[in-house]
Amino acid sequence: MNNFSYTRATDITSAVNEASREATAKFIAGGTNLIDLMKENVARPTRLIDINRVPLNRIEETKDGGLRLGALVTNADTAYNDQVEKRYPLLSRAILSGASAQLRNMATDGGNLLQRTRCYYFYDVATPCNKREPGTGCSAIEGFNRMHAVLGTSDQCIAVHPSDMCVALAALEAVVRVTGKNGDRAIPFSDFHRLPGDTPQIDTNLEADEIITSIDLPPKGFADHHAYLKVRDRHSYAFALVSVAAALEMDGNKIKGTRLALGGVAHKPWRSKEAEELLNGKAANSDNFQAVAETVMHGAKGFGHNTFKIDLAKRAIVRALKHAAQMEAPR
Amino acid sequence: MAAGAIMRVEQNTQANTQTVSLPSSTKITLTINGVRRELQVEPWTTLLDLLRLNLDLTGTKKGCDHGQCGACTVLVDGKRINSCMTLAIMKDGSEVMTIEGLAQNGALHPLQQAFIEHDAFQCGYCTPGQICSAIGLMREGHATTADEIRESMSGNICRCGAYPNILAAIQQAMAHRRNVDRVAGERSVNPIANERSVNP
Ligand SMILES: Cc1cc2nc3c(=O)[nH]c(=O)nc-3n(C[C@H](O)[C@H](O)[C@H](O)COP(=O)(O)OP(=O)(O)OC[C@H]3O[C@@H](n4cnc5c(N)ncnc54)[C@H](O)[C@@H]3O)c2cc1C
Ligand code: SF4
Ligand code: FES
Ligand code: FES
């Protein structure tokens, strides 16, 4: 780890001021991703701005009947919050399927959105990587790419976003509230993360001087019909190969609304509105779900080691939709 | 610190010279196993390194140093965390409990006792982390069934594979705790206060 200066901020304004003063400074919240990257010399901030004393650690109702998750609420406190468990069980499930109890006690909701890819080459400073060092090339495209993306890739980068929480937030259409030098913004979840394109070094549309203040959940929580299915190499404490957040609005066996988001397959939580609309007014059955899966994965491209993810994702989509429609019980 | 105040620790890098002076360290206060300590730390010292290297509390182990094994688990303000993934300076003002602080007046903590009775280790390297993690698990109160306990303990890897015995030890300690709670409940109108004084 490199040497650095340390600032402890106790309010939003001073945190933003500190960040805008020094381009190579970084906020630190739980530290579970940033400290890891600093130990590997992947991140080398000149200053850490500790935001843990900024009062953003509450969960409260919003005026429109939704729920506001303060950026510094821990993943554990979010998953076990009464309101989240009751109204947004999809989010609880997704969070609890990630990391370990210890890490979830440290990890914050804001930090979870900004965690970086687990691509092995990104972590290994001895190898070329466009995300870590733009212009050096991508070691994964022709290297080991079992964990990599099959949708939305570019010839610059095929990394995936590793978060489980974000897959549920994408399905719930959360809004990310941020504050920077130029004031406040509300970013719809689908616009928060980016595809790699020609700038894989930039993961999100957050500016360097902006701090996430909260993640707002809209009133609709899909508590009656939801599922989070995570497929991975071991049963617990492993990142997803493929994950699916499915949420349905149903009238008897008829589907009135669908939300579907995938993790482990792209540089951001993946949604296909086209596929979701296929289910409007349709019955919940295997054929209709299979059609959705084919549409979501249409155009998917494997890179060798990860080509299995295309079929795996299709099967996971069908199964998650069945769980959400309560056609079969989750195992 | 007053609201709005900022604390800054600067790196004293001197311009125009070959030498870079030693970066400043700063004073923090931690209560470790019940003892309040004022400590000088550098910003990049992890809580794990502070415990092991500066305070000789080597019961807490370093396995991976990357949040992947749980050997470094300690309790901070009552919650289990990975001490390798947190900077000591971030925890200024907190209470830290390590494996060294569990025995009271020479008597092992019920979980320590249960680990011995169930032979819940081979090499013992993961054990302090397992025990601290299990104390956190019991306090959280979310896991009760065997499957739930296994899932909630998945952040603690045991290379020797003592998992079945670790599970049995935790189940025994949980049963013991329920007994203590029941007796305390019968004795006192305030079972919560009583339970706290029984179990660190
Ligand atoms: C072994 C291991 C296994 C894991 N497994 C999983 C898993 O299965 N699923 C999963 O989803 N995650 C997993 N994680 C990742 C974990 O969830 C993230 O590391 C965590 O959520 C990051 O949150 P943090 O508060 O610790 O972030 P930090 O490390 O403190 O920060 C991460 C980044 O966010 C920035 N930041 C933090 N807060 C803010 C804010 N409010 N405003 C602006 N910028 C901010 C920081 O500057 C930094 O760049 C795992 C991590 C480890 C170490
Ligand atoms: S996939 Fe992206 S992160 Fe991985 S080596 Fe290629 S450029 Fe780097
Ligand atoms: S040493 Fe901290 S988790 Fe392995
Ligand atoms: S007893 Fe050896 S690692 Fe667990």
Side-chain angles (χ1 to χ4, degrees):
Chain A
M1 196 171 343
N2 63 300
N3 292 359
F4 54 84
S5 305
Y6 172 86
T7 303
R8 190 177 286 163
T10 49
D11 61 43
I12 295 171
T13 312
S14 53
V16 168
N17 284 343
E18 285 290 304
S20 54
R21 175 151 59 185
E22 194 168 324
T24 45
K26 277 208 156 287
F27 296 123
I28 187 158
T32 61
N33 191 228
L34 186 52
I35 292 175
D36 200 17
L37 292 169
M38 287 169 70
K39 286 181 179 179
E40 297 288 2
N41 274 322
V42 175
R44 300 179 56 86
T46 52
R47 174 182 303 277
L48 287 186
I49 306 162
D50 183 350
I51 55 174
N52 284 291
R53 273 107 178 143
V54 179
L56 293 170
N57 56 353
R58 298 220 342 243
I59 295 184
E60 49 202 5
E61 283 194 37
T62 55
K63 280 199 213 90
D64 69 353
L67 207 59
R68 171 162 298 166
L69 312 174
L72 290 166
V73 181
T74 63
N75 285 181
D77 285 346
T78 305
Y80 293 118
N81 175 273
D82 283 347
Q83 289 288 313
V84 175
E85 281 187 321
K86 199 167 83 201
R87 295 175 55 197
Y88 307 94
L90 173 63
L91 181 59
S92 278
R93 282 293 186 87
I95 293 173
L96 293 177
S97 76
S100 66
Q102 290 95 313
L103 288 162
R104 294 191 298 265
N105 278 343
M106 310 166 77
T108 64
D109 291 349
N112 193 303
L113 270 54
L114 295 170
Q115 63 175 300
R116 308 210 66 192
T117 186
R118 310 299 289 201
C119 170
Y120 353 93
Y121 303 105
F122 175 70
Y123 262 79
D124 179 356
V125 293
T127 59
C129 166
N130 286 326
K131 187 182 278 299
R132 180 168 29 75
E133 265 182 84
T136 54
C138 171
S139 299
I141 290 177
E142 291 183 0
F144 291 101
N145 50 40
R146 184 168 180 273
M147 62 186 287
H148 289 76
V150 293
L151 286 164
T153 53
S154 75
D155 58 6
Q156 300 280 307
C157 177
I158 59 171
V160 299
H161 193 263
S163 168
D164 291 294
M165 178 182 190
C166 290
V167 182
L169 292 175
L172 292 169
E173 296 191 344
V175 172
V176 186
R177 296 199 160 270
V178 310
T179 299
K181 259 289 187 226
N182 298 324
D184 300 345
R185 292 200 289 154
I187 309 172
F189 207 80
S190 55
D191 296 340
F192 187 78
H193 296 98
R194 299 158 53 105
L195 289 179
D198 291 334
T199 50
Q201 70 278 17
I202 310 172
D203 292 349
T204 71
N205 289 316
L206 192 74
E207 301 294 334
D209 68 337
E210 283 179 322
I211 184 171
I212 300 177
T213 55
S214 74
I215 297 148
D216 290 2
L217 303 174
K220 241 196 238 178
F222 299 90
D224 292 338
H225 296 284
H226 66 88
Y228 189 73
L229 177 64
K230 179 173 179 180
V231 186
R232 44 187 157 170
D233 283 327
R234 62 178 176 202
H235 192 65
S236 184
Y237 204 15
F239 286 95
L241 289 167
V242 168
S243 71
V244 182
L248 297 172
E249 258 184 302
M250 302 193 57
D251 184 3
N253 191 39
K254 210 185 234 164
I255 292 164
K256 295 194 325 192
T258 306
R259 301 272 183 83
L260 193 64
L262 268 68
V265 296
H267 201 255
K268 60 188 284 191
W270 190 263
R271 279 188 70 187
S272 159
K273 294 262 165 77
E274 185 197 350
E276 292 176 10
E277 276 162 20
L278 282 182
L279 284 178
N280 273 348
K282 296 270 179 60
N285 64 39
S286 300
D287 287 349
N288 288 338
F289 292 163
Q290 188 64 42
V292 171
E294 296 296 337
T295 306
V296 174
M297 299 312 291
H298 182 77
K301 178 179 160 209
F303 292 84
H305 303 281
N306 71 345
T307 309
F308 73 97
K309 281 193 181 184
I310 299 172
D311 275 341
L312 182 63
K314 287 182 193 171
R315 289 195 286 266
I317 290 168
V318 173
R319 201 203 291 176
L321 284 167
K322 283 183 176 174
H323 291 172
Q326 289 160 13
M327 288 163 62
E328 60 181 51
R331 266 179 289 170
Chain B
M1 203 182 301
I6 276 223
M7 174 188 132
R8 288 171 137 251
V9 184
E10 301 301 327
Q11 237 188 102
N12 311 323
T13 27
Q14 288 167 358
N16 303 325
T17 57
Q18 294 289 70
T19 52
V20 176
S21 73
L22 272 183
S24 27
S25 61
T26 191
K27 198 183 80 184
I28 64 166
T29 307
L30 290 175
T31 303
I32 301 172
N33 298 331
V35 181
R36 202 180 131 90
R37 305 218 197 194
E38 293 201 337
L39 303 156
Q40 250 350 93
V41 299
E42 288 154 340
W44 46 88
T45 303
T46 61
L47 179 58
L48 175 60
D49 285 346
L50 176 79
L51 292 170
R52 290 183 54 86
L53 304 178
N54 301 56
L55 301 176
D56 266 348
L57 290 169
T58 51
T60 308
K61 302 300 184 216
K62 183 184 284 192
C64 64
D65 214 19
H66 288 282
Q68 299 178 357
C69 76
C72 66
T73 304
V74 298
L75 296 149
V76 173
D77 296 331
K79 291 189 172 164
R80 49 176 164 164
I81 65 156
N82 305 89
S83 61
C84 70
M85 297 293 272
T86 195
L87 301 171
I89 199 170
M90 291 163 65
K91 296 297 171 199
D92 190 6
S94 301
E95 283 192 26
V96 181
M97 174 79 82
T98 70
I99 191 75
E100 288 92 344
L102 294 183
Q104 297 287 318
N105 308 319
L108 291 182
H109 185 280
L111 244 157
Q112 291 175 305
Q113 190 60 44
F115 265 64
I116 292 171
E117 286 168 20
H118 287 272
D119 204 11
F121 42 76
Q122 285 182 39
C123 76
Y125 198 80
C126 70
T127 313
Q130 300 277 2
I131 291 177
C132 287
S133 186
I135 288 174
L137 175 151
M138 284 164 61
R139 285 196 180 159
E140 288 156 14
H142 302 302
T144 45
T145 66
D147 273 353
E148 287 166 353
I149 296 169
R150 267 189 220 106
E151 167 62 33
S152 188
M153 288 297 291
S154 73
N156 293 84
I157 308 289
C158 175
R159 219 63 203 88
C160 301
Y163 298 111
N165 300 12
I166 293 170
L167 174 66
I170 295 171
Q171 285 175 313
Q172 173 175 315
M174 285 171 100
H176 172 85
R177 164 79 161 264
R178 280 193 296 274
N179 269 337
V180 172
D181 285 357
R182 187 177 47 74
V183 173
E186 283 162 9
R187 275 207 210 117
S188 157
V189 283
N190 189 352
I192 307 273
N194 210 319
E195 173 235 0
R196 286 236 174 90
S197 66
V198 173
N199 220 335

